[in-house]
Amino acid sequence: MAGARALGVLSRFTSRRYALFIGNNFRTFSMAPALLARTHVNYEVKGDVAVVRINDPSSKVNTLSVQMQREMTEVMNEVWANNAVQSAVLISSKPGCFIAGADINMIQACNSPEEVTTLSQEGQKMFERIENSPKPVVAAINGSCLGGGLEFAIACQYRVATKSKKTVLGTPEVMLGLLPGAGGTQRLPKMLGLPSAFDMMLTGRNIRADKAKKMGLVDQLVDPLGPGLKSPEERTIDYLEEVAIECARGIVSKKIPLRKEKGRMQKIQDHIMSYGFVRNQIYKTVHGKVMKQSKGLYPAPLKIIESVKTGVEQGPDAGYLAESQNFGELAKTSESAALIGLYHGQVACKKNRFGTPQKEVKTLAILGAGLMGAGIAQVTVDKGVHTVLKDTAVAGLARGEQQVYKGLNDKTRKKNITSFQRDSILSNLTGQLDYRGFENADMVIEAVFEDINIKHAVLKEVEAVVSPHCIFASNTSALPIKDIAAASKRPDKVIGMHYFSPVDKMQLLEIISTDQTSKDTIASAVAVGLKQGKVIIVVGDGPGFYTTRCLAPMLAEAVRVLQEGVDPKKLDGLTTSFGFPVGAATLADEVGIDVAAHVAEDLGKAFGSRFGGGNVEVLKTMVDLGFKGRKSGKGCYVYQPGLKTKEVNPDIGDILEKYRITPNPAVSSDSDVQYRLVSRFVNEAVMCLQEGILNGPLEGDIGAVFGLGFPPCLGGPFRFVDSFGADKLVEKMRRFEAVYGNHFTPCQLLLDHANDSSKKFHK
Amino acid sequence: MRFGACSLSTTTQLQAQVQTKSKKTLARPGVKNIVLVEGVRTPFLLSGTTYADLMPHDLARAALQGLLNRTNLPKDAVDYIIYGTVIQEVKTSNVAREAALGAGFSDKIPAHTVTMACISSNQAMTTGAGLIAAGQCDAIVAGGVEFMSDVPIRHSRKMRKTMLSLSRAKTLGQRLGLIGSIRLAHLTPELPAVAEFSTAETMGHSADRLAAAFGVSRLEQDEFALRSHTLAKKAQDDGLLQDVISFKVPGRDIVSKDNGIRPSSMEQLKKLKPAFIKPHGTVTAANSSFLTDGASAVLIMSEEKALAMGYKPKAYLRPTYGTPKALERAGLSMSDIDVFEFHEAFAGQIMANLKAMDSDWLPRHTWVGTPPMEKFNLWGGSLSLGHPFGATGCRLVTTVAHRLQKEGGQYGLVAACAAGGQGHAMVIEAYPQ
């Protein structure tokens, strides 16, 4: 049952390159209302075919805004009224974008679920008219066709798409806590069958054109063209239009049948699906998978299942009604607000607020070919940057280069790139053991062992060989950058670039600037990070910066919870059911017990008893016994290659027994344990804002969700405080404080918010 | 078949600074003139026809023997033999050497094989010209061969690995274990790639996209294909294709004519469905060149050597890069050229090339205009005569030489494209009659 295969999107909330909802705030207001000339939609009659062209002049992408919809309705009415026109082609004049989705501000501007429901019903009606059009409409798709754009396309009679890499189809609404609200939940199951439709809507993943053709989402493919009489983009759009016009004529002349002959497999599948109990089994399975993966914390997938089910079982009228009502309800949930907030934050963190750096980084050198170093190389080398990977030992270098190769080869196997592209990308990677050629490096990122003396040694070695403009970035997770920069001759060129493991999967990059770091150095680091595809927060310097500093107290609390006799599996269950994608014990294993011990000790020294809780000796004993987490095969759990399930490491029982603490029943309920973990995290985040480590709550939320896996459904620590209530959180913390002391003392900023309920981090 | 502005292929830089003042001859003082003495080819046949049971070196041998017959060249009078080929027969990977020995050339004459897709024999000639210009050789035989009636089809990689391990296995147990590891799927054979390795795109697909990028219609392509076949038929009937030698195929009849020339009607051409991009593509079987068996050979010498040996050369060879560059190097303009022979792999490709030459697509300073059709491929081309990948280049050059003689022109231009975005061009100057 491919139906609800990968709901991992929900738990990990990976972002997409192509945004469904593009908030372009003031666009609609800037238009003079009296202006009757159409700016977004136009059409031209070519023989007997009307070519309807979409182009939002004020944005890089087309969105189904109020104005777009109004003009589209006008144009379609004219097309239908024009007797010379037999058919229509719908095409975007924008390279790389068909329609990227609905205008999110339009939805957010609504005050009640009912208003959103009305909006959805208007969309449904518009697409129904397209679906029932007496003149066939061919959607000619080049570039992103997402959300409302996809719903528009599937309402058309025929779809032609370019095989361009930029052409992706999908229904990413679920990632914003919504559902396809303009007929998508009704048409997709009919087009693709239940399993594929569920898969598409519940994962929200992007589907490339060739896959879409195989699924039946697209009827014909067109190759993108190379250089010719016009630029490739322009000529490809023209060519697509030519082919689509031919298709439209073919449909009118009945040369192209709209009902395709069903294959044998399709017939068999349809037959099976005609049994009610089979369908019920699918609903049940999909529902079960959603509940398992989302822990019931996300209402959108459940509403999607409900809307589909209503449509299939009770007919289209009930289905469309359910869709629009569910859409209205979802749009006003806190989960949707949180996810949309994250989306906006992510967009904001994909911009360089420090401007364009004076010098583009064309050669990047990385010191240390370990997991991190090689990971950084992996995300750099395929962006056309000459990447030098330096290690001190052949074995380490070989392992690192193999990691880069494997990452690219996996992409080849998944057909994201060809083997030729893989090879030519790899030709940009130089592996070496010495500092040869470092004089050409524009930036050096060190990913060597976390020891201030080693960092100082490499910094001096690097400064001896690089040119004056070269930036030195440290990929440290906790050492203050100013301490590292203390050994530098040019501290204005020293910066922190904190990547998260695994680098190719984790989207966040935390950039740390000191008082001495120049603005151009920051701009350059951000530019490199953006090139690497990262979501970036820029924070102030200090022990643990932002992310590590938030994580440390939570892990300290997790250790205490373990010492109090809670089983690691139970601890994981408590954290994941709160919405964390990875449980606290598993997270410690992933981060590395040795790293956790190191950080706990360092930050403990820096922040004093406030960072206490669990006994650091627990972690240290584990490290001494070789239980360093996943990388060593044993940590809280035992990891066996090839095995998906993991068992609790039987040997840690003795360690925990040795450091056993008697739990206080007043603060040890499941819920209390959850809030003990979360409140320390949140309090520390708020304190980072209070101390100016953070630039604002938005970056704080993004850093916590994308770097540490803070529950996406809560939108990050700051949005959580807003929605949960600072007063309620403080109340809980006071109760914990009474038992554990200053570990739970709320910071001043949190108290301010608790005392004044009108104070919100997010407006 | 990508027409690259950057389609630089040949490594030869000779004749680089041809003086632009004299249009009479492109000869430069102090630089050896290189001449084409003779050029021959076997008839080009559709794959799977009369040549079906031969091997590639048999065809190459026939071309070499034909060259020897035409020129009465002593078998030890050449210094070097170079052959171009694309799909290599593994048994005769240096097909130049096998063919040369088989044709009775002295075993003291070294021979090597070059490969550069459809311009392999162009590269063979250019390499030969380079050797002469560098003073290493005086007489070269260059040629090309392609044999599509039989291509190496391999076992799958897994099967090959098992078979190689089997040959190393020492005990019966090891052998049985290896044999037991063979799965049915391993028996699926591996055909030679029709797609380019680097882009994974087939030539036909590429040509269709190229035609679309330059707005070449199906009609234009069909018309061009028809023109090619009609002209080829006329040239064949008029006895103009003098480079074709007769070849007694062992066990079969004597072959003396190309068999792929099929002038048809526009109505019939229109009926064909697109061969590569379905359903809206424009490249069909009829407006593409077909799979062909054939071999060609040319005798290239320094002018002094040719004259000393009593030969009457046919033309001077001036190999350079890409058409605009070739003309620029030679200090010629399009109007100076009397004879054009361009390789026509696909009608769509050649039409796109012509449109590109006439557009802003090329940088202004390299803009040279379009070759006039009344001088263009007048004796047919690859579309009609056939296109044995490795052998076409020599056919083009020989045809230019023959056309210059026949039509009385002074300069000819050869251009050809090849997979991998490469191309080749050469200016040929008539030898004073």
Side-chain angles (χ1 to χ4, degrees):
Chain A
M1 209 64 41
R5 202 170 7 173
L7 280 158
V9 188
L10 289 174
S11 47
R12 292 229 164 196
F13 196 79
T14 56
S15 86
R16 301 278 139 159
R17 262 196 313 162
Y18 304 97
L20 151 74
F21 292 108
I22 308 301
N24 199 334
N25 302 355
F26 309 106
R27 190 194 319 141
T28 38
F29 303 105
S30 64
M31 294 315 240
L35 203 66
L36 283 173
R38 287 192 289 255
T39 49
H40 288 50
V41 187
N42 272 302
Y43 77 108
E44 175 192 355
V45 178
K46 288 197 167 174
D48 54 354
V49 183
V51 179
V52 181
R53 297 202 177 87
I54 322 164
N55 193 0
D56 183 340
S58 56
S59 169
K60 267 195 226 164
V61 292
N62 293 320
T63 49
L64 290 173
S65 58
V66 175
Q67 181 165 5
M68 180 78 83
Q69 294 187 32
R70 183 173 51 75
E71 292 188 14
M72 181 58 75
T73 311
E74 281 174 24
V75 165
M76 286 315 293
N77 284 337
E78 284 175 37
V79 167
W80 283 317
N82 188 341
N83 288 330
V85 171
Q86 300 287 317
S87 56
V89 165
L90 179 70
I91 192 166
S92 158
S93 320
K94 249 183 229 309
C97 179
F98 176 69
I99 300 174
D103 182 357
I104 193 153
N105 296 319
M106 189 171 77
I107 298 163
Q108 286 195 311
C110 295
N111 293 315
S112 66
E114 290 73 29
E115 261 183 71
V116 184
T117 299
T118 312
L119 214 57
S120 157
Q121 283 168 344
E122 279 165 15
Q124 289 177 348
K125 267 182 219 143
M126 177 168 143
F127 294 158
E128 193 188 355
R129 290 185 68 202
I130 300 281
E131 187 176 33
N132 297 329
S133 166
K135 300 173 181 179
V137 183
V138 175
I141 304 162
N142 178 47
S144 43
C145 172
L146 301 172
L150 180 95
E151 293 179 285
F152 199 165
I154 59 172
C156 295
Q157 278 68 30
Y158 202 79
R159 282 150 299 280
V160 187
T162 62
K163 264 193 262 177
S164 154
K165 271 200 164 172
K166 285 183 179 168
T167 301
V168 286
L169 298 94
T171 48
E173 287 91 343
V174 70
M175 295 164 65
L176 298 181
L178 300 169
L179 56 74
T185 65
Q186 305 304 304
R187 286 194 186 92
L188 280 174
K190 273 193 202 151
M191 263 183 103
L192 311 176
L194 279 179
S196 300
F198 273 135
D199 180 43
M200 215 178 139
M201 288 189 280
L202 294 175
T203 61
R205 66 194 168 91
N206 283 341
I207 297 164
R208 280 189 304 226
D210 44 356
K211 178 81 202 296
K213 170 85 165 55
K214 271 188 204 142
M215 289 168 69
L217 201 55
V218 160
D219 300 288
Q220 206 185 117
L221 294 178
V222 170
D223 284 280
L225 299 180
L229 293 178
K230 290 182 177 175
S231 76
E233 292 80 20
E234 268 180 283
R235 181 59 195 135
T236 300
I237 293 177
D238 288 356
Y239 182 49
L240 171 67
E241 185 180 306
E242 288 162 20
V243 173
I245 289 176
E246 278 316 303
C247 286
R249 293 206 174 111
I251 295 168
V252 172
S253 67
K254 305 250 186 301
K255 271 186 199 151
I256 297 176
L258 286 180
R259 296 265 168 275
K260 251 179 286 166
E261 272 299 302
K262 282 184 175 170
R264 182 169 297 167
M265 279 311 290
Q266 189 62 40
K267 280 182 185 159
I268 293 171
Q269 202 184 347
D270 286 357
H271 181 70
I272 295 171
M273 288 295 170
S274 66
Y275 294 104
F277 72 90
V278 176
R279 293 196 304 271
N280 268 327
Q281 193 55 42
I282 293 178
Y283 301 136
K284 238 170 84 184
T285 314
V286 173
H287 190 270
K289 285 197 174 172
V290 166
M291 286 305 286
K292 194 176 165 210
Q293 298 217 17
S294 71
K295 312 278 176 201
L297 295 168
Y298 296 81
L302 302 175
K303 294 284 186 195
I304 289 173
I305 299 172
E306 192 189 304
S307 305
V308 170
K309 189 176 170 184
T310 311
V312 174
E313 305 302 327
Q314 296 171 34
D317 288 348
Y320 280 104
L321 185 65
E323 179 186 274
S324 62
Q325 284 175 346
N326 283 333
F327 187 70
E329 282 173 38
L330 286 174
K332 290 291 145 194
T333 55
S334 66
E335 290 84 0
S336 175
L339 293 173
I340 290 173
L342 284 175
Y343 169 73
H344 282 313
Q346 204 184 4
V347 171
C349 291
K350 288 249 181 196
K351 291 191 178 124
N352 194 343
R353 62 181 159 99
F354 296 89
T356 312
Q358 282 166 16
K359 203 165 186 318
E360 193 193 343
V361 173
K362 289 188 175 143
T363 299
L364 178 78
I366 298 157
L367 305 180
L371 217 53
M372 275 307 216
I376 299 168
Q378 202 179 323
V379 298
T380 312
V381 72
D382 60 346
K383 311 299 185 309
V385 177
H386 176 220
T387 309
V388 179
L389 189 58
K390 182 198 171 298
D391 204 292
T392 47
V394 176
L397 183 63
R399 195 217 62 81
E401 287 194 79
Q402 177 61 28
Q403 183 185 330
V404 180
Y405 172 81
K406 187 175 176 297
L408 288 168
N409 197 40
D410 287 348
K411 282 191 184 174
T412 309
R413 283 197 291 126
K414 286 182 196 152
K415 301 210 168 135
N416 288 337
I417 56 170
T418 65
S419 60
F420 168 73
Q421 283 168 321
R422 175 198 66 202
D423 297 346
S424 86
I425 289 168
L426 275 173
S427 70
N428 253 335
L429 180 77
T430 316
Q432 58 190 54
L433 298 170
D434 52 17
Y435 285 101
R436 187 167 31 91
F438 266 56
E439 64 274 12
N440 298 321
D442 303 304
M443 179 184 276
V444 176
I445 300 179
E446 67 79 14
V448 301
F449 192 70
E450 291 270 73
D451 177 318
I452 191 76
N453 297 320
I454 298 177
K455 304 269 189 201
H456 280 168
V458 296
L459 172 60
K460 283 177 187 156
E461 282 172 23
V462 166
E463 285 193 348
V465 289
V466 296
S467 60
H469 76 275
C470 180
I471 291 166
F472 182 89
S474 173
N475 172 51
T476 172
S477 55
L479 294 174
I481 302 301
K482 66 173 187 306
D483 294 356
I484 296 174
S488 171
K489 284 185 287 188
R490 6 163 249 171
D492 59 311
K493 297 280 185 198
V494 179
I495 195 164
M497 290 174 85
H498 178 202
Y499 290 86
F500 293 77
S501 186
V503 182
D504 59 322
K505 299 260 162 43
M506 297 296 283
Q507 290 189 71
L508 190 73
L509 168 63
E510 184 181 31
I511 290 178
I512 305 103
S513 65
T514 70
D515 302 341
Q516 289 174 294
T517 311
S518 75
K519 199 175 156 243
D520 188 61
T521 301
I522 306 177
S524 191
V526 174
V528 166
L530 289 177
K531 204 179 248 185
Q532 291 166 335
K534 296 291 165 198
V535 172
I536 296 168
I537 61 170
V538 180
V539 304
D541 195 20
F545 326 123
Y546 169 62
T547 51
T548 310
R549 188 170 154 185
C550 290
L551 189 62
M554 183 169 124
L555 281 183
E557 195 59 29
V559 172
R560 170 153 59 199
V561 170
L562 290 174
Q563 283 177 265
E564 287 179 353
V566 175
D567 178 77
K569 277 206 166 160
K570 164 94 180 177
L571 174 63
D572 274 356
L574 289 174
T575 22
T576 52
S577 64
F578 198 80
F580 282 91
V582 177
T586 308
L587 184 64
D589 276 0
E590 294 288 340
V591 170
I593 303 294
D594 52 339
V595 177
H598 217 270
V599 166
E601 210 169 22
D602 280 0
L603 295 191
K605 273 181 210 154
F607 293 106
S609 62
R610 199 164 58 77
F611 266 53
N615 193 335
V616 183
E617 292 305 316
V618 174
L619 297 174
K620 282 188 169 174
T621 315
M622 283 176 74
V623 174
D624 290 343
L625 291 172
F627 305 151
K628 292 182 184 173
R630 179 188 275 278
K631 58 188 167 191
S632 66
K634 273 183 183 178
C636 296
Y637 294 96
V638 180
Y639 298 89
Q640 280 166 317
L643 271 183
K644 274 197 172 167
T645 52
K646 51 184 196 279
E647 288 305 317
V648 174
N649 183 356
D651 300 328
I652 63 162
D654 298 341
I655 307 172
L656 291 174
E657 199 53 49
K658 189 175 158 200
Y659 296 100
R660 188 66 182 234
I661 309 172
T662 316
N664 182 330
V667 289
S668 296
S669 72
D670 284 358
S671 161
D672 279 341
V673 170
Q674 287 177 326
Y675 280 102
R676 274 163 54 193
L677 292 163
V678 173
S679 63
R680 290 190 70 178
F681 185 122
V682 171
N683 185 47
E684 206 58 41
V686 176
M687 201 181 249
C688 285
L689 181 64
Q690 177 186 312
E691 291 178 5
I693 297 277
L694 277 176
N695 173 52
L698 189 97
E699 292 202 356
D701 282 344
I702 293 295
V705 172
F706 289 96
L708 306 172
F710 193 87
C713 56
L714 302 177
F718 295 94
R719 194 170 289 276
F720 168 70
V721 172
D722 283 353
S723 58
F724 186 76
D727 47 347
K728 276 165 71 188
L729 188 65
V730 166
E731 188 192 311
K732 280 192 189 289
M733 290 185 75
R734 291 291 188 209
R735 201 154 55 78
F736 304 145
E737 191 185 18
V739 176
Y740 296 113
N742 68 346
H743 306 155
F744 287 97
T745 307
C747 69
Q748 190 53 48
L749 186 58
L750 191 60
L751 287 173
D752 292 349
H753 278 243
N755 294 332
D756 179 356
S757 63
S758 70
K759 280 196 172 169
K760 296 278 180 199
F761 291 113
H762 293 282
K763 290 288 166 277
Chain B
M1 214 54 56
R2 292 170 292 168
F3 179 87
C6 54
S7 54
L8 313 177
S9 65
T10 51
T11 44
T12 337
Q13 291 259 3
L14 69 158
Q15 314 282 7
Q17 281 102 39
V18 173
Q19 282 166 353
T20 53
K21 287 171 217 156
S22 159
K23 287 281 160 57
K24 278 206 159 173
T25 173
L26 299 175
R28 284 189 302 154
V31 175
K32 270 189 198 170
N33 275 326
I34 296 159
V35 294
L36 174 77
V37 175
E38 185 57 276
V40 298
R41 63 179 175 95
T42 68
F44 287 177
L45 302 190
L46 297 160
S47 296
T49 57
T50 315
Y51 296 151
D53 298 326
L54 298 178
M55 280 180 68
H57 73 283
D58 292 327
L59 280 178
R61 201 156 46 92
L64 287 174
Q65 276 172 335
L67 187 70
L68 288 172
N69 290 343
R70 280 270 172 99
T71 55
N72 288 318
L73 182 76
K75 286 180 172 175
D76 55 357
V78 284
D79 303 313
Y80 209 100
I81 295 168
I82 310 166
Y83 250 75
T85 195
V86 179
I87 308 262
Q88 283 188 324
E89 163 60 52
V90 284
K91 286 182 185 163
T92 58
S93 63
N94 187 3
V95 70
R97 181 68 172 165
E98 307 304 338
L101 292 177
F105 279 95
S106 159
D107 60 5
K108 304 224 165 33
I109 305 170
H112 81 247
T113 303
V114 294
T115 187
M116 198 171 180
C118 304
I119 52 175
S120 296
S121 63
N122 305 58
Q123 186 54 53
M125 288 183 291
T126 332
T127 306
L131 288 171
I132 295 173
Q136 293 191 35
C137 300
D138 284 316
I140 298 274
V141 170
V145 60
E146 204 64 45
F147 189 67
M148 297 301 289
S149 289
D150 181 33
V151 290
I153 297 172
R154 302 197 292 182
H155 271 297
S156 69
R157 181 75 189 247
K158 280 191 173 136
M159 190 65 193
R160 291 186 334 248
K161 201 175 168 187
T162 310
M163 289 161 91
L164 289 171
S165 306
L166 256 179
S167 66
R168 284 191 294 266
K170 290 197 175 62
T171 66
L172 183 66
Q174 280 176 344
R175 281 194 198 104
L176 287 175
L178 281 166
I179 290 168
S181 73
I182 297 171
R183 297 283 168 271
L184 201 61
H186 298 180
L187 297 173
T188 317
E190 213 173 70
L191 289 158
V194 281
E196 261 184 308
F197 184 74
S198 56
T199 59
E201 189 177 30
T202 63
M203 284 296 102
H205 200 272
S206 173
D208 207 320
R209 283 176 56 234
L210 180 72
F214 284 91
V216 181
S217 68
R218 165 80 185 262
L219 185 72
E220 285 175 289
Q221 293 179 43
D222 284 352
E223 277 172 357
F224 188 89
L226 188 59
R227 172 189 188 271
S228 181
H229 279 279
T230 312
L231 290 174
K233 177 81 177 123
K234 186 164 186 304
Q236 192 178 50
D237 291 348
D238 293 352
L240 298 174
L241 306 178
Q242 298 157 28
D243 53 341
V244 179
I245 52 154
S246 293
F247 175 24
K248 167 68 180 78
V249 181
R252 307 253 193 148
D253 284 340
I254 292 177
V255 184
S256 50
K257 272 186 173 180
D258 304 325
N259 72 357
I261 307 174
R262 292 162 300 174
S264 169
S265 66
M266 286 302 289
E267 287 67 41
Q268 277 179 306
L269 293 184
K270 256 182 211 163
K271 282 184 201 158
L272 286 173
K273 287 196 172 152
F276 301 97
I277 296 184
K278 294 160 189 169
H280 55 267
T282 52
V283 172
T284 67
N287 61 35
S288 318
S289 54
F290 46 88
L291 291 181
T292 315
D293 300 337
S296 54
V298 293
L299 177 61
I300 307 171
M301 288 185 174
S302 62
E303 188 177 13
E304 311 95 88
K305 173 82 173 181
L307 295 175
M309 287 183 76
Y311 285 118
K312 172 79 182 152
K314 286 179 187 285
Y316 292 111
L317 299 185
R318 320 274 190 207
T320 44
Y321 300 108
T323 302
K325 277 207 170 168
L327 293 176
E328 190 191 333
R329 285 259 163 85
L332 297 177
S333 71
M334 208 53 120
S335 58
D336 293 322
I337 304 291
D338 305 301
V339 168
F340 291 89
E341 281 294 327
F342 279 33
H343 167 46
E344 42 191 52
F346 297 90
Q349 157 262 325
I350 194 78
M351 296 296 290
N353 292 171
L354 296 178
K355 287 199 179 195
M357 292 172 77
D358 197 20
S359 74
D360 292 337
W361 195 80
L362 292 170
R364 258 301 138 180
H365 66 277
T366 64
W367 193 87
V368 287
T370 323
M373 289 312 274
E374 64 273 14
K375 296 179 183 175
F376 192 83
N377 291 10
L378 288 188
W379 293 358
S382 300
L383 281 172
S384 46
L385 300 172
H387 172 36
F389 309 134
T392 291
C394 291
R395 176 186 68 73
L396 292 170
V397 167
T398 310
T399 305
V400 167
H402 286 166
R403 274 184 61 198
L404 285 172
Q405 284 184 335
K406 182 89 186 166
E407 296 165 13
Q410 191 180 0
Y411 296 118
L413 182 68
V414 164
C417 58
Q422 307 189 99
H424 171 264
M426 190 191 288
V427 172
I428 290 161
E429 185 183 345
Y431 200 83
Q433 302 282 323

